[in-house]
């Protein structure tokens, strides 16, 4: 690692990004009005299709990329639609299509599920990522680049996120507990 400021996006560089994400012609997410999004390049902290498209950009440069589901949030998996007995839900629970809830899977992990359909005896939950099966149109501008610290490289994520945890760095889910969360 060198102390020189990197000039291009490449592996092990911390990238500061402004972006918009458009899905199905609708603006889905944007860094407008937020602090810039920062991530460590080359460590799968962002979706692969976007990461690939940014390689080689200098600060101030922009790129527009259409990311396919396989390089985004994955294909929509019909097997991830599961029927749950309504009796398993708390009494008085009023399910609504499109509502999100947390379910614990057989693997003990907590998944976010979306209510897909409501039937008399069962409720169909969709465990797919909300953007699974979608093409993602990103417009991204590289705002700044800096070298990563040795500790950041070791952890595989940045430690000075302005947005706190869970905004792409996945500090907490990786359980590093080193002050980034
Ligand atoms: Zn860490």
């Amino acid at each position: 690692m060198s102390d020189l400021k990197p000039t291009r996006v490449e592996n092990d560089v911390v990238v500061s990004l402004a972006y918009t994400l458009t899905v199905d012609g609708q603006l889905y997410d944007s860094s407008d009005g937020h602090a810039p999004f920062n991530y460590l390049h080359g460590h799968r902290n962002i979706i692969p299709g976007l990461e690939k498209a940014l390689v080689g950009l200098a600060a101030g440069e922009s790129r527009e990329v259409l990311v396919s589901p396989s390089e985004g949030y994955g294909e929509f998996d019909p097997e991830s639609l599961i029927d749950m007995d309504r009796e398993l839900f708390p009494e008085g629970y009023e399910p609504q299509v499109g509502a999100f809830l947390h379910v614990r899977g057989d693997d003990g992990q907590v998944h976010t599920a979306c209510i897909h359909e409501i039937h008399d005896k069962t409720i169909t939950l969709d465990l797919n990522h909300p953007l699974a099966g979608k093409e993602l149109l990103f417009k991204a501008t590289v705002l700044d680049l800096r070298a990563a610290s040795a500790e950041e490289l070791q952890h595989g994520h940045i430690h000075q996120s302005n947005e706190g945890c869970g905004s792409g760095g996945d500090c907490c889910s990786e359980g590093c507990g080193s002050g980034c969360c």
Side-chain angles (χ1 to χ4, degrees):
M1 193 186 67
S2 85
D3 293 332
L4 290 174
K5 197 174 165 67
T7 56
R8 301 268 166 196
V9 175
E10 58 182 330
N11 287 351
D12 300 343
V13 166
V14 177
V15 182
S16 181
L17 210 60
Y19 69 93
T20 59
L21 169 57
T22 305
V23 180
D24 295 336
Q26 303 257 17
L27 185 66
Y28 185 88
D29 190 18
S30 161
S31 60
D32 284 359
H34 301 277
F37 174 75
N38 301 308
Y39 77 96
L40 179 60
H41 192 88
H43 293 260
R44 302 190 65 100
N45 288 335
I46 62 172
I47 58 164
L50 178 60
E51 190 163 54
K52 235 192 262 180
L54 297 173
V55 173
L57 292 189
E61 290 187 324
S62 301
R63 187 155 289 172
E64 189 172 313
V65 59
L66 187 63
V67 176
S68 65
S70 64
E71 296 207 297
Y73 290 99
E75 302 291 347
F76 185 86
D77 179 9
E79 305 251 302
S80 292
L81 294 177
I82 55 163
D83 287 322
M84 274 182 77
D85 211 314
R86 282 189 83 141
E87 287 171 9
L88 292 171
F89 289 83
E91 207 169 323
Y93 179 72
E94 296 278 352
Q96 288 193 326
V97 170
F100 286 94
L101 46 95
H102 295 284
V103 291
R104 191 175 293 277
D106 296 337
D107 54 6
Q109 294 229 357
V110 175
H111 300 272
T112 301
C114 180
I115 296 182
H116 188 70
E117 282 171 352
I118 299 167
H119 307 278
D120 284 349
K121 294 234 155 67
T122 60
I123 292 173
T124 308
L125 298 179
D126 181 0
L127 295 176
N128 286 287
H129 188 282
L131 291 177
K134 302 282 189 189
E135 287 194 319
L136 314 170
L137 179 64
F138 283 99
K139 289 178 194 170
T141 302
V142 174
L143 301 174
D144 197 14
L145 301 167
R146 70 166 171 86
S149 71
E151 194 184 44
E152 286 173 322
L153 290 177
Q154 207 184 352
H155 288 190
H157 53 235
I158 62 160
H159 282 168
Q160 285 107 307
S161 171
N162 295 323
E163 303 192 1
C165 244
S167 59
D170 278 337
C171 270
C172 290
S173 63
E174 288 174 15
C176 74
S178 63
C180 57
C181 297

